[in-house]
Amino acid sequence: MFYGHVETADQRVAHLRTLAAIQDETGGFTEFVPIPLPGWSTPLVAGRSPLDEHRAVHAVSRLMLHGRIAHIQVPWTRVGFEASAVLLQSGAD
């Protein structure tokens, strides 16, 4: 899922709900990768750092897809090594 353009938090959650429903029906997804768009730097919550926004996206994805999609992957080429290490410690793989 690409994020960080003009979508709202509600739209992100709606997307995850749709993915969960598709997975319940098909079982076809083996991993999920939330990917920030290039140049993204404006979090949904004022004052939240980009790292906190990435952490929030990964955490909500992990909670909503738990038991459905086992692997929530880190897009290390987009977020960098330091952020990747934090996200790996926060439940992503």
Side-chain angles (χ1 to χ4, degrees):
M1 173 182 82
F2 283 100
Y3 66 92
H5 182 52
V6 296
E7 82 282 355
T8 65
D10 288 341
Q11 289 169 325
R12 290 179 187 178
V13 169
H15 186 85
L16 291 168
R17 284 185 178 143
T18 299
L19 286 176
I22 291 169
Q23 183 68 352
D24 288 344
E25 186 176 324
T26 68
F29 297 116
T30 57
E31 65 272 332
F32 176 72
V33 187
I35 303 171
L37 286 169
W40 175 84
S41 64
T42 306
L44 288 177
V45 176
R48 183 186 291 178
S49 73
L51 177 56
D52 285 342
E53 188 75 17
H54 299 318
R55 189 181 300 141
V57 170
H58 279 75
V60 170
S61 299
R62 172 68 69 198
L63 290 170
M64 292 188 68
L65 300 174
H66 178 74
R68 292 180 170 102
I69 300 175
H71 302 286
I72 309 298
Q73 295 185 354
V74 175
W76 67 269
T77 57
R78 292 288 177 97
V79 299
F81 290 123
E82 290 180 21
S84 294
V86 171
L87 295 172
L88 289 171
Q89 293 172 346
S90 302
D93 59 24

